Amino acid sequence: MPELPEVEVSRQGVAPKITGQVISQVIVRTPKLRWPVPGEVTLAQDLSIDSVTRRAKYIFINTRAGSIIIHLGMTGYLRVFDAKTPLKKHDHFDIVLANGQCLRLNDARKFGAVLWQGIEEPPHVLLQALGPEPLTDDFTTETLFDKSRGRTCTVKQFIMDNHIVVGVGNIYANEALFMSGIHPLRKAGKISKARYERLVENIKIVLAAAIQQGGTTLQDFSNVDGNPGYFRLHLNVYGRAGELCLKCKTPIKSQMVGQRNTFYCSVCQR
DNA sequence: ATTGACTCCTGATGGC
DNA sequence: TGCCATCAGGAGTCAA
């Protein structure tokens, strides 16, 4: 469940349940997810959780000694359970709390990750080259436009590149481009500043709206069915190949771009 | 420095 | 019902 809104909603759902609690045990049930799970994660044992934060699609469980970093990949999700809750298939990792609850990571495809960031260490190598957060003032038309000059890749691949801006996944890249009237196959370097201005605005709008919606569908992470589904979000193009554009009634097209399915309206998007 | 193809892994779905 | 192919919300790595 992994676009930035879903990660942020996960963070918001989990944070109040675990912040301030003491970690009694860290259980690594699956030693290798996307990368090997470092043994240092046990350094968080017997420490309290100071906060739960997010950078890009990484969730940070922060303690005095350092942070356990969790990435949900394509299929990962977090839940807070009573620590005695029976395990399900693909339950890979637990942070057991002294209050009898536990934070549990489930990830069928194992594209997710559990990492460790020691308090004195330089930022994790995977975090060093990340672009700005899309929902902050660091993400501006100016930086996006400047970085785009000379780029020959498609605008869709450009905004999905984590070096350019983080957290724009396949669904919301498609949606933001539709909202902006920009054809996803257009070359990033050939788009005007005025159009990038709209794009930046719409990326912020669609991500913020999705977080808002996720927040209403996913209030209780200890529910069995706390599904943060995209189904609540109103999608204009994603997954609608062959269906009619909601604006102009032209059939929505789909096509693979950089190994990702891409949806657009050939009339509304130029 | 950029680009595009490939890779990790499991599950759901659809065609025959 | 079974078998096979195809496709998934991510993103690092490699070769060119």
Side-chain angles (χ1 to χ4, degrees):
Chain A
M1 55 132 129
E3 291 224 22
L4 183 136
E6 287 67 34
V7 176
E8 174 60 18
V9 168
S10 290
R11 186 197 69 75
Q12 290 176 7
V14 151
K17 300 183 181 220
I18 69 172
T19 303
Q21 300 297 329
V22 172
I23 296 173
S24 56
Q25 193 185 6
V26 175
I27 302 174
V28 179
R29 217 168 274 115
T30 304
K32 185 182 177 297
L33 297 171
R34 167 118 202 222
W35 292 281
V37 178
E40 287 96 323
V41 291
T42 57
L43 293 174
Q45 284 176 173
D46 301 322
L47 302 179
S48 64
I49 295 172
D50 297 329
S51 60
V52 182
T53 55
R54 178 187 61 74
R55 169 76 173 111
K57 292 175 185 164
Y58 297 92
I59 292 173
F60 288 70
I61 315 286
N62 302 307
T63 73
R64 179 159 51 77
S67 304
I68 294 171
I69 305 175
I70 297 174
H71 193 289
L72 301 175
M74 295 262 260
T75 50
Y77 62 88
L78 292 171
R79 294 279 177 72
V80 177
F81 293 109
D82 186 298
K84 296 193 293 288
T85 305
L87 291 173
K88 291 194 301 186
K89 201 173 181 182
H90 308 306
D91 279 342
H92 302 305
F93 180 75
D94 281 0
I95 296 177
V96 184
L97 305 174
N99 70 357
Q101 299 284 105
C102 86
L103 177 73
R104 183 166 288 173
L105 171 69
N106 183 290
D107 182 7
R109 286 175 77 178
K110 298 196 186 94
F111 286 178
V114 175
L115 305 166
W116 174 255
Q117 170 74 66
I119 199 85
E120 301 286 343
E121 297 170 9
H124 197 286
V125 61
L126 292 174
L127 304 169
Q128 285 177 5
L130 292 178
E133 286 289 325
L135 292 173
T136 69
D137 293 339
D138 296 338
F139 179 49
T140 64
T141 302
E142 280 66 33
T143 56
L144 191 65
F145 178 76
D146 289 348
K147 285 180 184 173
S148 74
R149 294 305 91 179
R151 296 290 296 261
T152 60
C153 66
T154 68
V155 63
K156 176 162 182 265
Q157 289 169 301
F158 181 65
I159 60 172
M160 288 181 69
D161 181 345
N162 282 336
H163 303 295
I164 305 303
V165 56
V166 301
V168 181
N170 198 31
I171 291 178
Y172 299 119
N174 279 300
E175 293 298 317
L177 287 166
F178 174 81
M179 292 163 72
S180 307
I182 299 173
H183 196 292
L185 298 185
R186 190 164 286 280
K187 302 294 177 199
K190 296 290 179 97
I191 293 175
S192 71
K193 195 166 188 176
R195 303 189 82 198
Y196 270 118
E197 191 162 358
R198 295 196 58 194
L199 184 56
V200 166
E201 202 171 297
N202 285 319
I203 287 172
K204 289 173 187 278
I205 287 172
V206 74
L207 292 178
I211 290 171
Q212 197 95 18
Q213 304 243 352
T216 63
T217 59
L218 226 189
Q219 288 175 356
D220 191 349
F221 271 70
S222 51
N223 278 352
V224 181
D225 192 35
N227 191 338
Y230 297 63
F231 54 90
R232 289 290 177 102
L233 188 72
H234 182 239
L235 298 175
N236 286 294
V237 286
Y238 182 82
R240 297 192 64 240
E243 296 176 39
L244 301 185
C245 172
L246 298 170
K247 219 186 268 181
C248 77
K249 310 298 181 202
T250 304
I252 299 295
K253 291 188 174 173
S254 75
Q255 155 179 11
M256 293 303 269
V257 179
Q259 343 291 112
R260 310 303 295 274
N261 210 349
T262 300
F263 302 87
Y264 60 95
C265 172
S266 57
V267 173
C268 294
Q269 294 173 258
R270 299 302 179 131

